């Protein structure tokens, strides 16, 4: 809830330069405004926020209740495909005007809507810094794209709900294409809560009547690093139990296979018998020669074979004639 206060003159500005002193140069009547590189870089590097504050849909309503001539302004922004559709309804007394404008997606890069402006201000208050020379895009009171700049005005102590609090002040200036620039000052608490808002040149200002619960700044802890520890599975009851269970499972499976295929024991026993009788130096080559005739893909040997033909499993010996 906000309270609206009217005073004879606006509150004194804190020390610092005014944002209107950095008003961008006037653009030509045919040149469309574009956000500069500083603004795009700032939006692209927002932490914990994605999509670069792209607007999807926004609806706003403002009204002034005069007995003689009440005024009401309604505006809706809706993103459709690759364009932004703006619908403005202006009602003055009994007269109603409706205006629909389409903005191509390429022309809204760096555009900051009213809703995104609150998020952006909160990020600035959280960081306590404002991007220097950044020039964003915004809509003026006539619904035209124009430049928007931000400037830090320093810190100030104000009273909120009978408490003295320190606020960070940011001034936003919307540089209208045809009219004069309009500036607003935002008094932000340490966690980004908006405590006070002043329209420069207006005798009134908005202020929160109750002090909110401030959110403490979160510290990002570094990712923990866990060193590798040797795994002694014999001392782990669960791993040791799994090992013994698996060992017994394999023993039973292997014994069952050998019972179903007794020829396997005969082949192994025959090979071991020849191995012990011959006692070759190259056991691997001897095993290849022994089990080679059992290979199904090996072509059958010729009926007449030379006794000096060397084995394909052995390296040629020096002084031995080739086969």
């Amino acid at each position: 809830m906000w309270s609206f206060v009217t005073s004879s003159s606006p509150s004194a500005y804190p020390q610092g330069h005014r944002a209107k002193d950095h008003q961008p140069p006037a653009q030509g009547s045919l040149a469309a405004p574009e956000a500069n590189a500083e603004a795009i870089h700032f939006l692209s590097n927002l932490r914990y926020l994605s999509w670069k504050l792209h607007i999807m849909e926004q609806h706003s309503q403002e009204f002034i209740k005069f007995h003689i001539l009440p005024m009401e302004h309604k505006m809706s922004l809706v993103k459709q495909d690759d364009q932004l559709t703006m619908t403005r309804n202006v009602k003055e007394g009994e007269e109603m005007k409706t205006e629909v404008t389409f903005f191509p997606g390429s022309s809204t890069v760096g555009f900051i809507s009213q809703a995104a402006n609150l998020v952006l201000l909160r990020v600035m208050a959280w960081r306590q810094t404002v991007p220097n020379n950044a020039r964003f895009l915004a809509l003026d009171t006539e619904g035209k794209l124009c430049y928007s700049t931000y400037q830090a005005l320093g810190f100030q102590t104000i009273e909120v709900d009978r408490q003295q609090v320190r606020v960070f002040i940011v001034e936003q200036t919307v540089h209208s294409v045809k009219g004069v620039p309009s500036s607003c000052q935002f008094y932000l608490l340490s966690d980004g809560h908006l405590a006070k808002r002043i329209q420069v040149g207006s005798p009134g200002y908005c202020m929160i009547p109750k002090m909110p619960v401030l959110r403490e700044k979160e510290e990002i802890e570094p990712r923990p690093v866990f060193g590798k520890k040797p795994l002694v599975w014999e001392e782990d009851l669960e791993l040791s139990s799994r090992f013994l269970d698996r060992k017994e499972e394999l023993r039973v499976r292997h014994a069952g296979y050998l019972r179903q295929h007794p020829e396997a024991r005969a082949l192994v026993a025959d090979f071991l018998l020849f191995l012990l009788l011959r006692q070759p130096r190259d056991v691997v080559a001897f095993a290849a020669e022994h089990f080679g005739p059992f290979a199904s893909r090996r072509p059958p040997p010729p009926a007449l074979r030379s006794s000096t033909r060397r084995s394909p499993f052995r390296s040629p010996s020096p002084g031995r004639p080739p086969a």
Side-chain angles (χ1 to χ4, degrees), residues 1 12 25 45 54 88 116 134 165 167 198 200 203 205-206 209 236 244-245 249 265 269 272:
M1 179 179 296
N45 290 273
H54 290 169
R88 295 178 68 247
V165 293
V167 294
I198 294 179
V200 177
Y205 61 90
C206 298
D236 190 287
L244 295 177
D245 293 343
E249 178 186 353
R265 290 182 178 272
L272 291 176

Side-chain angles (χ1 to χ4, degrees), residues 4-23:
F4 183 77
V5 183
T6 303
S7 60
S8 58
S9 61
S11 59
Y13 298 108
Q15 293 182 356
H17 297 287
R18 297 293 305 281
K20 61 180 59 180
D21 297 335
H22 298 274
Q23 180 177 355

Side-chain angles (χ1 to χ4, degrees), residues 15-47:
Q15 293 182 356
H17 297 287
R18 297 293 305 281
K20 61 180 59 180
D21 297 335
H22 298 274
Q23 180 177 355
Q27 304 292 319
S29 57
L30 298 179
E34 296 181 356
N36 62 359
E38 288 81 359
I40 302 300
H41 177 75
F42 183 81
L43 295 178
S44 301
N45 290 273
L46 291 178
R47 298 181 62 182

Side-chain angles (χ1 to χ4, degrees), residues 126-173:
W126 192 266
R127 297 180 177 179
Q128 295 186 354
T129 183
V130 175
N132 295 325
N133 302 322
R135 192 171 65 233
F136 302 89
L137 295 181
L139 293 175
D140 59 10
T141 56
E142 300 297 327
K144 306 297 182 183
L145 275 179
C146 61
Y147 294 121
S148 174
T149 57
Y150 296 87
Q151 185 173 3
L153 299 183
F155 296 89
Q156 193 179 66
T157 301
I158 63 175
E159 182 177 350
V160 177
D161 196 13
R162 298 181 181 180
Q163 300 181 34
Q164 298 294 322
V165 293
R166 191 167 181 258
V167 294
F168 179 65
I169 308 174
V170 178
E171 184 177 76
Q172 180 196 19
T173 302

